[in-house]
Amino acid sequence: MRVLSGVQPTGDLHLGNYFGAIRNWVRLQEEHECFYCVVDLHAMTMPYAAETLRINSSGMILDLLACGVDPERSLLFQQSQVPEHAELAWILNCVTPFGDLERMTQFKEKRDQIREKDVEVYVSAGLFTYLVLQAADIMIYRAQGVPVGKDQQQHLELAREIARRFNRVFGELFPEPEPMWSEAPKIMSLAEPNSKMSKSLGARHYISIYEDPDALRRKVMSAVTDSGSGGISPGVENLLTLLSAAGQADVAAEMTAAHRKGLLRYSDLKSRVVDALIEVTNTFRERRAALESQRAAIMDRAWDHALKARKEARVTLERARELTGLPLHVEVS
């Protein structure tokens, strides 16, 4: 199966990103033809600084390699270096109803985030239509599978509907991408365990995959554990999830049993989580340090991967242009 997934270059990955998505990417490349891209065009839909985007985009390539994405088995590239994504997005914009985009929950959430931060900052048209670009990311390679969590279900269904509408209006071209539901754990904020781990909430709420051990310890030891309700609170459940995700499933099961008997000391749980996560983050830091010295060569290889992706994308785009009445591209020597 051909698989497509992307990640925005918004600085270092955090453990929620890794355990919730990227680790699954690493597994998928064992069995499937995988296209993984750093979606820098998507990062432009929210207020940003140009130099920050430039640095974060190349840094994310290194981060994904540090997490185990293998350039021998997957194509790993920057989305903007394959301009066919953007051109197909325009074609798909023209078969996507305005009302479908208005109903998208994430647009409303991000729009409100912008307005809360600065009333002078405008909400871009790109933010409104970025889900069409996301559909184009998938469809330009005619990918059959997309690894997603349940929170992305609405977005993938929109992509499927866009594919159906294009095929119905202009002729069969795009497969309807199937969700590859991840069994990966959902990692929550340490300070607000009812919210997903996210950098946008602030430093207390996430753990970078390169987190300094002392900072990691402080964050975990101050994590919320009690909500005043019966049973396992969201905070305790989140710590147990982190422990299990970090390779300590047996210990997590023992601690869950102890909690049910009223014998679990939260300080013991937090200490075990700290030890397990420091082992994980130490590994990532070592890998990233080794990759940093090869940054120039790695980015050259990412460019080569983008060229390979363009060859695949061009075939799809030329067929889409033909079906929609557009001329084929003029080749420039």
Side-chain angles (χ1 to χ4, degrees):
M1 180 181 291
R2 179 170 286 182
V3 173
L4 183 286
S5 197
V7 60
Q8 287 200 37
T10 55
D12 292 346
L13 294 168
H14 57 67
L15 290 178
N17 302 138
Y18 176 69
F19 290 134
I22 307 303
R23 185 166 62 177
N24 191 41
W25 289 17
V26 175
R27 293 170 179 159
L28 288 172
Q29 65 187 356
E30 301 287 342
E31 299 178 4
H32 302 291
E33 181 188 14
C34 295
F35 289 63
Y36 294 140
C37 54
V38 174
V39 288
D40 46 359
L41 296 178
H42 287 290
M44 297 173 70
T45 61
M46 297 289 278
Y48 75 99
E51 187 59 24
T52 300
L53 176 60
R54 189 175 295 112
I55 292 169
N56 286 349
S57 295
S58 60
M60 185 58 71
I61 296 285
L62 270 64
D63 289 350
L64 294 172
L65 294 174
C67 287
V69 172
D70 184 352
E72 296 293 336
R73 291 179 289 180
S74 302
L75 283 185
L76 176 61
F77 56 95
Q78 284 183 231
Q79 173 196 35
S80 63
Q81 291 182 328
V82 184
E84 287 78 6
H85 287 240
E87 185 172 344
L88 181 60
W90 176 253
I91 293 172
L92 299 181
N93 265 316
C94 296
V95 296
T96 302
F98 185 91
D100 284 5
L101 297 179
E102 269 191 316
R103 286 190 288 273
M104 293 296 109
T105 303
Q106 196 168 102
F107 165 71
K108 298 174 185 176
E109 291 174 350
K110 290 191 173 183
R111 175 197 61 194
D112 293 344
Q113 285 176 21
I114 292 172
R115 290 174 175 171
E116 286 171 7
K117 288 181 179 178
D118 189 345
V119 293
E120 299 299 322
V121 176
Y122 59 86
V123 177
S124 74
L127 181 62
F128 185 69
T129 61
Y130 87 99
L131 287 176
V132 183
L133 176 58
Q134 190 175 86
D137 296 337
I138 301 166
M139 292 158 62
I140 195 67
Y141 304 110
R142 288 186 266 189
Q144 299 129 317
V146 182
V148 290
K150 292 294 183 181
D151 58 334
Q152 292 287 313
Q153 183 170 2
Q154 186 185 39
H155 300 171
L156 189 60
E157 186 50 49
L158 175 66
R160 289 167 55 82
E161 176 55 35
I162 291 171
R164 282 194 291 270
R165 187 176 292 109
F166 182 98
N167 291 343
R168 186 168 63 247
V169 173
F170 294 111
E172 198 71 24
L173 176 59
F174 299 115
E176 293 182 30
E178 295 290 339
M180 303 175 76
W181 300 121
S182 171
E183 298 300 322
K186 188 175 182 179
I187 307 299
M188 312 303 284
S189 161
L190 295 171
E192 293 180 17
N194 290 312
S195 301
K196 281 182 67 176
M197 183 175 283
S198 171
K199 287 182 289 188
S200 65
L201 297 174
R204 296 185 306 121
H205 297 267
Y206 73 93
I207 297 174
S208 165
I209 62 170
Y210 308 120
E211 195 79 47
D212 173 79
D214 290 337
L216 188 155
R217 185 177 301 278
R218 287 194 297 273
K219 289 181 179 183
V220 174
M221 297 308 291
S222 63
V224 172
T225 49
D226 254 330
S227 64
S229 60
I232 298 181
S233 71
V236 171
E237 184 174 8
N238 190 40
L239 289 170
L240 290 166
T241 299
L242 279 166
L243 187 59
S244 181
Q248 300 289 324
D250 291 346
V251 176
E254 291 172 6
M255 290 196 156
T256 300
H259 186 280
R260 290 182 179 136
K261 296 175 183 176
L263 302 175
L264 178 64
R265 293 173 56 189
Y266 292 160
S267 59
D268 291 341
L269 169 60
K270 290 179 177 181
S271 293
R272 295 302 292 265
V273 172
V274 166
D275 291 343
L277 294 185
I278 284 178
E279 185 175 346
V280 171
T281 53
N282 280 347
T283 299
F284 288 138
R285 272 200 311 280
E286 290 169 5
R287 289 178 183 172
R288 184 60 154 77
L291 291 166
E292 186 61 46
S293 63
Q294 307 168 47
R295 181 185 281 260
I298 288 170
M299 296 314 297
D300 285 345
R301 188 164 193 181
W303 174 252
D304 289 340
H305 280 207
L307 292 176
K308 291 178 182 178
R310 284 203 72 181
K311 289 180 181 178
E312 295 287 341
R314 177 59 69 91
V315 172
T316 303
L317 185 59
E318 292 297 281
R319 180 61 178 150
R321 289 177 69 95
E322 181 181 19
L323 288 172
T324 55
L326 297 173
L328 300 184
H329 281 100
V330 176
E331 295 296 335
V332 179
S333 60

